[in-house]
Amino acid sequence: GNSVTQMEGPVTLSEEAFLTINCTYTATGYPSLFWYVQYPGEGLQLLLKATKADDKGSNKGFEATYRKETTSFHLEKGSVQVSDSAVYFCAQGSNYQLIWGAGTKLIIKP
Amino acid sequence: NAGVTQTPKFQVLKTGQSMTLQCAQDMNHEYMSWYRQDPGMGLRLIHYSVGAGITDQGEVPNGYNVSRSTTEDFPLRLLSAAPSQTSVYFCASRPEGSNQPQHFGDGTRLSIL
């Protein structure tokens, strides 16, 4: 069946470091792909999305490219800030539901 | 600009009690869903609705009921609370179309003693 796999956390980085959070998926067809972010004590917010192969989603300095050949949607940011500390979820759209990865906790130290 | 509103934010129940978690959205979204979030397990779909009068089961529906009498409201009922239902519950809504992002409420943190 369809699934989403994310790299396990927590991921701890220093401020201004380069960030990559890996996400791969299995699916029949070509689902839409999403990254959501959850700040402490809050609900989930859409960070970015891509709806077809080779699309690049971007927002707040984060980027992710829909790679059909590697079934991946890795999240990247060139220079992280303390305020980026949160849990990041990768998900794919499938009919009436989203299929979620387990989430990756990101900790940025000043 | 309310979006998705969940109440209550926190609740403590005793085993066997029943309660209803409320969810309302003001965006005229057809699709609404309930998730539970447990440590290390991401979000799991409990029930969803594709429009008023239509509901269906998700991945973990046992012990929960839902109804959708209006487009705006999608309450989640715990019939007889069990400690295994201790979790954070999120309601979400989105427009029609699987490429549309979901909008989440702030969650209800539920503890069952």
Side-chain angles (χ1 to χ4, degrees):
Chain A
N2 296 0
S3 66
V4 174
T5 303
Q6 287 181 238
M7 64 187 294
E8 289 189 18
V11 173
T12 303
L13 296 172
S14 297
E15 206 166 19
E16 299 184 2
F18 184 86
L19 168 70
T20 300
I21 300 178
N22 290 338
C23 171
T24 58
Y25 67 92
T26 60
T28 52
Y30 304 104
S32 294
L33 300 174
F34 305 86
W35 276 101
Y36 284 80
V37 58
Q38 184 179 30
Y39 298 103
E42 298 184 11
L44 282 77
Q45 305 172 25
L46 177 69
L47 181 59
L48 53 85
K49 73 172 188 178
T51 58
K52 61 183 187 296
D54 299 325
D55 266 3
K56 178 185 283 188
S58 62
N59 186 26
K60 299 181 180 180
F62 290 90
E63 293 183 341
T65 301
Y66 191 141
R67 302 285 189 198
K68 182 179 64 174
E69 60 279 5
T70 55
T71 62
S72 65
F73 193 54
H74 304 323
L75 183 68
E76 297 182 335
K77 187 175 185 181
S79 177
V80 293
Q81 306 300 313
V82 172
S83 57
D84 294 327
S85 298
V87 181
Y88 292 82
F89 291 91
C90 184
Q92 63 167 291
S94 175
N95 293 327
Y96 298 117
Q97 61 178 295
L98 284 175
I99 297 173
W100 297 87
T104 303
K105 185 173 184 177
L106 176 65
I107 301 169
I108 307 300
K109 295 186 173 181
Chain B
N1 194 15
V4 178
T5 302
Q6 289 185 238
T7 56
K9 293 189 183 304
F10 302 94
Q11 184 71 48
V12 178
L13 294 177
K14 295 181 179 179
T15 297
Q17 287 184 313
S18 63
M19 80 160 294
T20 300
L21 308 185
Q22 301 292 342
C23 176
Q25 53 95 7
D26 61 359
M27 298 171 283
N28 202 33
H29 288 168
E30 289 297 316
Y31 179 82
M32 297 185 73
S33 54
W34 276 102
Y35 294 90
R36 58 178 290 172
Q37 183 179 29
D38 301 295
M41 300 187 71
L43 282 83
R44 292 184 291 170
L45 183 66
I46 303 171
H47 285 284
Y48 66 95
S49 168
V50 299
I54 306 170
T55 64
D56 207 344
Q57 296 181 350
E59 181 185 358
V60 288
N62 292 342
Y64 307 94
N65 274 357
V66 292
S67 60
R68 185 93 181 272
S69 56
T70 66
T71 299
E72 294 78 19
D73 299 301
F74 191 44
L76 178 72
R77 296 182 187 85
L78 278 70
L79 308 173
S80 177
S84 61
Q85 294 177 305
T86 294
S87 188
V88 181
Y89 291 85
F90 289 100
C91 179
S93 74
R94 66 161 169 80
E96 188 176 354
S98 63
N99 64 343
Q100 296 293 328
Q102 295 203 9
H103 299 255
F104 283 83
D106 288 337
T108 295
R109 187 174 296 275
L110 183 62
S111 295
I112 315 296
L113 305 178

